[in-house]
Amino acid sequence: MQNLYDVAHRDDDDFIKDLAGQGIAYVPFFPLGGFTPLQSSELEAAATSLQATPMQIALAWLLQHSPNILLIPGTSSLEHLRENLKAGTLQLPPEIISNLDSSS
């Protein structure tokens, strides 16, 4: 299943949970875009505190949001690919997750 979903657009929260219960993967469309200034400032603050990029924080949030989320972030360079891969090992503390969850 694929729909628009990211830190800023979370209309599918309940749907993702239902799919997870059925063992069905969910692929967020546009996982790195559409952030408001408030959301961007939250991502930037989290990135600074964890020595990461805001986009790594956004991807890590998605990966930690639900076990059935499968990411296919676009990239234009090998460096961006490496940055995206680092998001897979980035563990967001609960307070950062809470801040991002409340910034929608």
Side-chain angles (χ1 to χ4, degrees), residues 56-99:
Q56 286 172 325
I57 300 298
L59 292 174
W61 179 87
L62 284 164
L63 289 170
Q64 292 175 43
H65 190 66
S66 183
N68 65 322
I69 288 184
L70 173 64
L71 291 179
I72 308 175
T75 184
S76 59
S77 71
L78 188 54
E79 184 174 333
H80 285 147
L81 175 61
R82 287 184 182 119
E83 286 180 10
N84 289 346
L85 289 172
K86 288 180 185 177
T89 60
L90 187 60
Q91 290 298 310
L92 302 181
E95 63 273 8
I96 287 179
I97 292 172
S98 178
N99 287 344

Side-chain angles (χ1 to χ4, degrees), residues 39-52:
Q39 291 147 345
S40 293
S41 67
E42 291 292 338
L43 287 169
E44 188 66 43
T48 299
S49 73
L50 296 175
Q51 298 179 328

Side-chain angles (χ1 to χ4, degrees), residues 1 15-16 18-26 67-69:
M1 182 67 211
F15 185 51
I16 290 169
D18 289 344
L19 291 175
Q22 298 175 53
I24 299 171
Y26 183 93
N68 65 322
I69 288 184

